[in-house]
Amino acid sequence: MAEQLALARSELILGGQKSGKSRRAELLAQQWLAQSPQHQAVLIATAQSWDDEMRERIARHQQDRAARVPGMATVEEPLQLAQAITRHSGSNTLVLVDCLTLWLTNLLMPAEILKEKEPVAQENQGPIAMVLGAIRTAQGPVILVGNEIGLGVIPLGRETRAFVDALGRLNQDVAAACQRVTLMAAGLPLTLKDSA
């Protein structure tokens, strides 16, 4: 039998690639759906398929997720995240955002202008503040998945360093807005904050 996890009103799940963060979020969604026939779950997917490898990755994630959490609906929203959280949130609906890192990438470095413009984090404080507000006012539980990428070497390139800084600030802001923050490593959770 799978481990029963306590559900917070809002939880940020951070970790590196393949750390188990999405699996933990899906397990929470499964448990939410199993609690009541009235419960619903909606995944807000932020990835965009800009190339063949990403299209294949998205298709694989969709298939795997459908097998693991068959009752969860999926909505694709690469930019208007706050609006999507608000639109899909309800007292009987769990909203799962996967992932904040790709959303910030879409916001700061749109693929079509990546080579023309350096990302400017200050221009995007409005959408970030709106997401924080949506988390705080959500009617039902919200789970957000994001990457922790600030543990390695300092990246080369001004644009890359600016992105790492912006993601670090976003993670801190979302962590402050959430009741629980979990760091995943090797499939194991470490609770960083729990005010649920």
Side-chain angles (χ1 to χ4, degrees):
M1 184 171 170
E3 171 193 8
Q4 285 286 39
L5 305 175
L7 186 66
R9 188 190 64 74
S10 54
E11 181 170 349
L12 172 62
I13 303 173
L14 293 170
Q17 282 186 248
K18 301 298 179 194
S19 62
K21 57 193 182 297
S22 292
R23 292 280 175 111
R24 178 180 174 84
E26 290 171 359
L27 181 57
L28 288 167
Q30 285 175 330
Q31 291 180 184
W32 171 259
L33 289 169
Q35 286 176 5
S36 169
Q38 285 77 38
H39 282 185
Q40 299 175 36
V42 175
L43 169 82
I44 301 174
T46 61
Q48 296 186 74
S49 54
W50 292 111
D51 58 31
D52 289 339
E53 186 275 334
M54 194 61 174
R55 278 186 280 280
E56 290 172 14
R57 181 180 288 260
I58 289 171
R60 188 173 54 251
H61 280 280
Q62 289 170 338
Q63 291 172 345
D64 292 348
R65 196 170 41 247
R68 288 191 298 264
V69 194
M72 184 164 57
T74 299
V75 174
E76 294 182 13
E77 182 46 68
L79 290 170
Q80 304 299 318
L81 184 55
Q83 295 87 333
I85 292 170
T86 301
R87 183 170 47 254
H88 295 286
S89 178
S91 60
N92 288 327
T93 303
L94 177 143
V95 173
L96 168 55
V97 176
D98 199 350
C99 83
L100 287 174
T101 309
L102 288 174
W103 172 71
L104 186 66
T105 302
N106 298 335
L107 200 62
L108 295 181
M109 298 184 286
E112 65 271 11
I113 63 168
L114 186 55
K115 295 182 180 172
E116 300 171 17
K117 178 185 172 194
E118 179 181 340
V120 181
Q122 290 77 15
E123 292 175 3
N124 295 292
Q125 290 307 305
I128 293 170
M130 290 171 61
V131 166
L132 298 174
I135 294 166
R136 290 182 181 110
T137 60
Q139 297 175 28
V142 179
I143 302 167
L144 304 109
V145 174
N147 290 73
E148 176 52 69
I149 63 172
L151 299 174
V153 298
I154 297 172
L156 294 174
R158 182 175 56 182
E159 294 86 4
T160 307
R161 286 191 300 273
F163 178 78
V164 170
D165 290 348
L167 181 59
R169 286 189 297 274
L170 174 64
N171 287 344
Q172 290 181 48
D173 291 345
V174 173
C178 287
Q179 286 188 332
R180 180 179 296 134
V181 179
T182 303
L183 178 66
M184 296 297 297
L188 301 173
L190 174 63
T191 302
L192 303 179
K193 171 186 175 182
D194 195 349
S195 57

